Amino acid sequence: MSRILIAEDEPRIASFLEKGFKASGFTTSVVSNGDEAIFMACSGDFDLLILDIGIPGKNGWVVLAELRGQGQLLPVIILTARDSIKDKVNGLEGGADDYVTKPFKFEELLARVRLRLRNRQPKDEDQMLLSLGDIVLDLRTRQVRVGNHSIELSAKEFALTETFMRYPGQVLTRQQLLSHAWGYDYDPYTNIVDVYVGYLRKKLGDKRIETVRGMGYRLRS
């Protein structure tokens, strides 16, 4: 499941974007100033950044310059009311992958997001498969196999399994699992991770996911 960071200080627009992307199967997080945008974008936890130029603190131009100056390759789509040719050229030459002006149609923005994410995906088919023991995840078809059996997973179950598979043998805290599969803005005190781990144990096998007391969970081969 792709994770989108939204840097937008207008609550109405931020809420509109968040609801739209979540309804389209993405995990989202929203920040409202430039410093937060840089910190979160550099975390490695996101696949794309929607960046408003007019955010407070470090504005979008500064955010983009600092990200590219640090060698960050995270795709960036600028979303702004600034519609001059000069601004568009500055944005694209400054390292943005796309430039969308407000007002905008969400369907068009969504199509642009999907294009940038598709271009970022590895072309090698082997890189689209995650495996641990006899568990195989196909990131392209969103299918899971355990041995010779195909397992049906919901979108969140798949996202949680993908997170485990990307960190084989590592103990992952509930907060790490929550942020990867549900987003940073989710209630940190929720028990939803434990609930979904229970679902996965029923589908993948009771002993597949080990509880490490006081720390979190680990996927075993």
Side-chain angles (χ1 to χ4, degrees):
M1 177 176 292
S2 296
R3 294 155 294 188
I4 297 178
L5 177 62
I6 301 168
E8 171 62 63
D9 66 314
E10 173 55 51
R12 181 180 59 83
I13 296 176
S15 177
F16 172 73
L17 291 171
E18 189 173 28
K19 290 178 180 177
F21 284 124
K22 285 184 175 180
S24 300
F26 295 94
T27 296
T28 63
S29 289
V30 176
V31 294
S32 58
N33 64 70
D35 290 303
E36 286 184 305
I38 292 171
F39 176 78
M40 297 284 273
C42 291
S43 69
D45 288 336
F46 296 94
D47 300 296
L48 184 140
L49 168 63
I50 302 290
L51 177 62
D52 176 32
I53 294 301
I55 52 176
K58 294 180 178 179
N59 65 31
W61 300 126
V62 176
V63 171
L64 181 62
E66 290 197 17
L67 290 178
R68 295 305 185 236
Q70 295 176 29
Q72 291 289 335
L73 301 178
L74 181 73
V76 176
I77 296 180
I78 291 176
L79 182 63
T80 179
R82 303 188 185 195
D83 59 358
S84 72
I85 295 298
K86 181 180 179 180
D87 282 326
K88 292 179 182 179
V89 170
N90 287 341
L92 295 172
E93 289 189 346
D97 296 88
D98 210 338
Y99 195 105
V100 178
T101 57
K102 302 173 183 175
F104 62 96
K105 294 291 187 180
F106 180 77
E107 293 78 5
E108 179 185 353
L109 177 61
L110 180 62
R112 291 172 183 258
V113 166
R114 285 174 170 161
L115 175 61
R116 299 304 163 191
L117 292 174
R118 186 163 62 246
N119 290 342
R120 193 179 188 225
Q121 289 176 350
K123 300 299 187 293
D124 188 340
E125 289 190 8
D126 289 340
Q127 295 182 44
M128 298 301 291
L129 298 176
L130 297 178
S131 62
L132 180 65
D134 62 349
I135 305 176
V136 178
L137 259 68
D138 189 323
L139 300 177
R140 182 177 50 189
T141 64
R142 316 297 288 179
Q143 293 181 337
V144 183
R145 296 190 66 83
V146 178
N148 296 321
H149 302 284
S150 180
I151 307 297
E152 293 290 332
L153 297 182
S154 68
K156 289 302 182 185
E157 289 170 347
F158 189 95
L160 193 59
T161 304
E162 179 184 346
T163 303
F164 277 123
M165 297 284 282
R166 290 191 181 279
Y167 301 91
Q170 295 186 35
V171 178
L172 299 176
T173 66
R174 289 173 175 81
Q175 186 57 45
Q176 287 174 315
L177 295 169
L178 189 65
S179 65
H180 277 271
W182 281 272
Y184 279 96
D185 53 349
Y186 220 87
D187 179 4
Y189 300 105
T190 180
N191 69 340
I192 195 168
V193 170
D194 308 272
V195 171
Y196 272 79
V197 165
Y199 295 160
L200 289 181
R201 281 173 170 158
K202 292 179 181 178
K203 294 185 176 183
L204 303 180
D206 289 341
K207 297 182 179 180
R208 295 282 187 179
I209 302 177
E210 175 187 3
T211 300
V212 181
R213 190 175 298 276
M215 297 180 66
Y217 296 103
R218 172 169 51 205
L219 181 64
R220 305 170 64 179
S221 58

